[in-house]
């Protein structure tokens, strides 16, 4: 009976299971070899640009069969390929393709104990690729360019989960003390960026050929990476975008338009982005190269994208770069000064003193490039705002406004138009001398008054007389107002007494 039962059981079940398991593993190994990444690299390969696959990955890539015994992380181990110096020249390009494919395998850098050996092999491979791309090896074929762009895409294009820096900032906090977030995979990423930079800069790279793979989709994902929290990556991306902008003229309008759209989203929707300063640095050099007369699209960009960047609370993160871009526009076309100054006045902060100081700093730079006709168009609203700053209880704001008279060009503009400007700011100057609590502000105010008095004593006396007359009228109005309230209070008291009696 037992023999009959046992004879009905399936034979060699363990070997069959082992065989099916081996087939599955072999399939996984083939997938890694063909696609450049296994299961752990899915999030990266999914975002890689769709390149025309004219050549499959080399079949003799040095991958071993997976052996999970004693390897708890489940990642396919692989071996280093021979060095370029160890193979004949005829085989170097083939070896280059194999090394590119080997570099497509992704690792988990969040855990430094995982795949230590494999990570080191990949790092050495990337170093060899950097040297190979930089050395003269003849024109790069289409397959080489395609595979190089694929390797770069697989490594750098990934999902970012940034915590924008502006969310961590509270007004006047010194941003340099902020601890930057460092990507643990940066040592490998840096080498990938270096390979890409050298590929673009190499005279062996045909621009017409390369633009088939470095297309608008690639550029869009490159721009998305500027939201990285790692300042090293943003700095590297800045160089990469510069090179792409310089090498591929066909992409220039698209790059400008895409940055424009990022600014719109930042200003009017999110106010969250880590790379605004870096974008503005790139734009600074682009604006510097604009031909004269400026195109209408560039002026529209100034009005609709750059000037509104003064609105967000986190302006201090990128103000220096923004101010440079704005000033570049005014220096190229002085007629834009009126537009820029009115834009600043429209966004002028009401309760943020540190932001006001930044606005005054920028205002001085813009005024330095402003000519008298443009100055006269905007001087009335401008000096009404300056007068408010002169009376600010925050001494740094008042002090910075008074420092405008230390600039010879601004002083000349003001003095040429003193008959309009002095009546606007005289009450603020006089109140400072009478009431301001800060001694430095008091002294600077007296200096400015002396400048006006020395140049036009008669106008100064007229303004002083008008100020005293206005003060007297205001005192009378205030006295009447107090008397009216006193009379109303007395009437109220009488009614209350009569009702109680």
């Amino acid at each position: 009976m037992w023999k009959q039962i046992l004879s009905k059981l399936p034979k060699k079940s363990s070997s069959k299971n082992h065989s099916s398991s081996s087939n599955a593993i072999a399939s996984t190994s083939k997938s890694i070899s063909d696609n450049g990444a296994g299961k752990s690299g899915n999030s990266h390969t999914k975002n890689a640009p769709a390149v025309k696959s004219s050549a499959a990955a080399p079949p003799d890539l040095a991958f071993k069969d997976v052996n999970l015994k004693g390897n708890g992380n489940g990642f396919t181990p692989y071996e280093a390929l021979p060095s370029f110096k160890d193979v004949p020249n005829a085989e170097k390009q083939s070896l280059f393709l194999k090394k590119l494919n080997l570099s497509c395998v992704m690792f988990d850098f969040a855990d430094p104990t995982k795949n230590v050996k494999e990570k080191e092999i990949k790092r050495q491979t990337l170093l060899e690729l950097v040297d190979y791309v930089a050395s003269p090896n003849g024109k790069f074929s289409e397959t080489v360019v395609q595979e190089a762009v694929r390797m770069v895409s697989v490594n750098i294009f990934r999902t970012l989960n940034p915590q924008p820096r502006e969310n961590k900032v509270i007004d006047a906090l010194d941003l340099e003390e902020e601890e930057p977030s460092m990507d643990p995979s940066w040592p490998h990423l840096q080498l990938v960026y270096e390979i890409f930079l050298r590929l673009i800069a190499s005279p062996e790279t045909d621009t017409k050929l390369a633009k088939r793979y470095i297309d608008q989709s690639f550029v869009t994902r490159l721009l998305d990476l500027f939201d990285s929290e790692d300042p090293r990556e943003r700095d590297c991306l800045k160089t990469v975008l510069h090179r792409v902008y310089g090498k591929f003229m066909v992409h220039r309008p698209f790059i400008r338009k895409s940055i424009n759209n990022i600014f719109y989203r930042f200003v009017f929707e999110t106010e969250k982005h880590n790379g605004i300063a870096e974008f503005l640095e790139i734009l600074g050099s682009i604006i510097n190269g604009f031909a004269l007369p400026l195109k209408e699209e560039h002026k529209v960009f100034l009005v609709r994208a750059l000037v509104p960047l003064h609105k967000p609370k986190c302006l201090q993160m990128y103000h220096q770069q923004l101010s440079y871009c704005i000033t570049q526009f005014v220096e190229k076309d002085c007629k834009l000064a009126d537009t820029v100054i009115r834009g600043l006045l429209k966004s002028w902060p009401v309760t943020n003193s540190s932001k006001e100081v930044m606005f005054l700093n920028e205002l001085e730079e813009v005024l330095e490039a402003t000519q008298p006709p443009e100055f006269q168009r905007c001087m009335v609203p401008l000096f009404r705002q300056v007068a408010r700053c002169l009376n600010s209880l925050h001494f740094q704001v008042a002090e910075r406004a008074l420092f405008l008279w230390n600039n010879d060009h601004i002083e000349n503009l003001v003095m040429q138009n003193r008959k309009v400007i002095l009546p606007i700011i005289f009450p603020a100057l006089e109140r400072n001398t009478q009431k301001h609590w800060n001694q430095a502000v008091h002294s600077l105010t007296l200096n400015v008054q002396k400048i006006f008095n020395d140049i036009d004593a008669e106008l100064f006396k007229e303004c002083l007389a008008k100020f005293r007359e206005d003060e007297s009228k205001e005192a009378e109005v205030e006295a009447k107002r107090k008397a009216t309230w006193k009379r109303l209070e007395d009437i109220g008291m009488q009614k209350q007494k009569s009702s109680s009696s």
Side-chain angles (χ1 to χ4, degrees):
M1 180 181 172
W2 283 109
K3 285 181 182 179
Q4 289 175 353
I5 293 170
L6 289 171
S7 66
K8 290 180 182 177
L9 291 174
K11 293 179 182 180
K12 297 184 180 178
S13 61
S14 61
S15 65
K16 278 186 183 176
N17 288 342
H18 177 75
S19 172
S20 63
S21 172
S22 296
N23 289 338
I25 291 169
S27 169
T28 306
S29 177
K30 186 175 185 301
S31 168
I32 292 172
S33 138
D34 290 342
N35 301 326
K39 209 168 187 180
S40 64
N42 281 349
S43 63
H44 304 268
T45 53
K46 193 167 88 177
N47 293 331
V51 291
K52 302 167 192 169
S53 183
S54 61
D60 53 344
L61 189 62
F63 282 105
K64 284 184 173 180
D65 287 335
V66 179
N67 179 12
L68 299 180
K69 203 175 270 186
N71 185 4
N73 50 38
F75 199 90
T76 309
Y78 64 102
E79 291 179 350
L81 291 162
S83 176
F84 285 109
K85 63 185 178 183
D86 297 333
V87 298
N89 287 339
E91 295 178 21
K92 282 186 177 178
Q93 198 161 101
S94 173
L95 181 60
F96 180 62
L97 288 170
K98 292 176 186 178
K99 285 182 182 287
L100 285 173
N101 210 45
L102 190 70
S103 301
C104 286
V105 179
M106 306 304 295
F107 297 98
D108 178 13
F109 284 90
D111 184 353
T113 63
K114 265 185 171 183
N115 307 107
V116 177
K117 180 187 169 186
E118 288 86 350
K119 287 174 185 174
E120 181 57 25
I121 290 171
K122 182 176 178 180
R123 192 182 71 84
Q124 290 298 333
T125 304
L126 289 170
L127 283 168
E128 289 177 30
L129 290 172
V130 169
D131 292 337
Y132 181 83
V133 173
S135 59
N137 295 291
K139 287 285 181 185
F140 292 128
S141 67
E142 182 170 359
T143 304
V144 167
V145 173
Q146 175 188 339
E147 290 301 310
V149 172
R150 185 174 78 89
M151 185 278 288
V152 170
S153 301
V154 166
N155 279 276
I156 68 172
F157 296 145
R158 60 210 192 277
T159 303
L160 298 174
N161 294 307
Q163 297 176 1
R165 291 176 294 166
E166 57 267 25
N167 287 358
K168 304 172 188 174
V169 178
I170 303 172
D171 287 339
L173 182 68
D174 186 0
L175 300 174
E176 291 179 4
E177 293 178 5
E178 188 85 4
E179 202 60 44
S181 176
M182 299 300 185
D183 191 331
S185 64
W186 177 246
H188 283 216
L189 278 177
Q190 185 180 19
L191 294 173
V192 175
Y193 280 120
E194 186 65 28
I195 292 166
F196 185 60
L197 277 169
R198 294 195 181 196
L199 183 73
I200 295 173
S202 174
E204 315 296 342
T205 303
D206 184 345
T207 306
K208 289 182 180 177
L209 188 68
K211 76 179 181 184
R212 294 180 196 171
Y213 306 103
I214 303 171
D215 55 8
Q216 288 189 359
S217 171
F218 184 94
V219 170
T220 300
R221 282 183 212 149
L222 199 66
L223 294 173
D224 289 341
L225 290 174
F226 274 83
D227 206 11
S228 168
E229 282 195 295
D230 194 325
R232 300 168 300 179
E233 183 169 18
R234 293 196 306 273
D235 195 55
C236 191
L237 282 163
K238 198 169 59 181
T239 309
V240 169
L241 193 60
H242 263 300
R243 293 280 172 85
V244 171
Y245 191 89
K247 185 98 172 177
F248 304 97
M249 292 186 70
V250 68
H251 290 330
R252 289 182 181 183
F254 177 75
I255 290 171
R256 291 197 301 269
K257 183 180 177 182
S258 298
I259 294 175
N260 202 351
N261 290 336
I262 289 169
F263 285 167
Y264 287 155
R265 202 177 309 118
F266 171 70
V267 172
F268 300 109
E269 293 179 19
T270 65
E271 286 198 21
K272 295 174 183 178
H273 200 287
N274 289 311
I276 300 299
E278 285 77 15
F279 278 134
L280 287 167
E281 270 189 61
I282 294 165
L283 285 169
S285 62
I286 292 173
I287 294 163
N288 199 21
F290 281 165
L292 294 175
L294 288 173
K295 293 180 182 177
E296 193 59 32
E297 66 167 290
H298 300 329
K299 295 178 184 178
V300 169
F301 172 70
L302 168 69
V303 173
R304 294 186 182 173
L306 288 184
V307 172
L309 277 171
H310 291 89
K311 292 179 182 179
K313 290 178 284 187
C314 55
L315 173 65
Q316 56 193 334
M317 303 294 304
Y318 54 83
H319 181 257
Q320 186 180 349
Q321 293 86 349
L322 176 61
S323 181
Y324 177 76
C325 290
I326 296 280
T327 310
Q328 286 283 306
F329 267 107
V330 178
E331 286 176 356
K332 281 193 171 288
D333 185 352
C334 59
K335 292 178 182 177
L336 292 170
D338 175 47
T339 304
V340 167
I341 289 170
R342 288 181 184 276
L344 281 172
L345 294 176
K346 192 176 178 182
S347 306
W348 202 277
V350 178
T351 58
N352 190 329
S353 302
S354 60
K355 204 170 169 183
E356 272 196 280
V357 172
M358 284 188 278
F359 270 58
L360 287 164
N361 287 333
E362 185 176 347
L363 181 63
E364 180 173 353
E365 290 181 22
V366 172
L367 286 173
E368 209 163 344
T370 303
Q371 298 307 309
E374 285 68 45
F375 179 78
Q376 286 165 5
R377 286 195 200 103
C378 62
M379 62 185 177
V380 172
L382 170 60
F383 278 88
R384 281 179 184 153
Q385 183 58 58
V386 170
R388 285 192 282 272
C389 291
L390 291 172
N391 280 153
S392 173
L393 290 176
H394 196 293
F395 79 96
Q396 287 178 330
V397 175
E399 196 173 57
R400 188 64 192 84
L402 289 160
F403 280 154
L404 291 173
W405 276 265
N406 289 352
N407 187 300
D408 292 338
H409 180 69
I410 295 173
E411 186 183 333
N412 288 336
L413 288 173
V414 171
M415 292 309 162
Q416 287 167 20
N417 300 278
R418 60 186 178 275
K419 293 190 185 299
V420 176
I421 292 172
L422 185 58
I424 294 171
I425 63 168
F426 190 89
L429 293 170
E430 194 63 25
R431 287 190 193 102
N432 273 2
T433 59
Q434 293 175 6
K435 302 174 184 176
H436 205 285
W437 64 272
N438 185 272
Q439 188 57 48
V441 171
H442 191 269
S443 302
L444 287 166
T445 303
L446 290 173
N447 290 341
V448 172
Q449 282 188 323
K450 187 175 185 302
I451 292 169
F452 280 108
N453 195 23
D454 290 346
I455 288 177
D456 196 335
E458 189 176 336
L459 177 63
F460 189 86
K461 285 177 184 174
E462 285 177 17
C463 290
L464 181 59
K466 179 78 166 55
F467 173 76
R468 285 173 179 167
E469 184 185 337
D470 290 343
E471 286 278 285
S472 175
K473 286 179 180 177
E474 280 182 23
E476 286 178 19
V477 169
E478 182 64 17
K480 285 180 181 177
R481 189 182 68 81
K482 285 183 177 178
T484 302
W485 277 109
K486 183 72 172 68
R487 193 165 62 252
L488 288 170
E489 284 175 7
D490 291 344
I491 293 168
M493 291 292 288
Q494 286 174 2
K495 284 185 176 180
Q496 194 174 0
K497 284 180 182 177
S498 61
S499 63
S500 60
S501 61

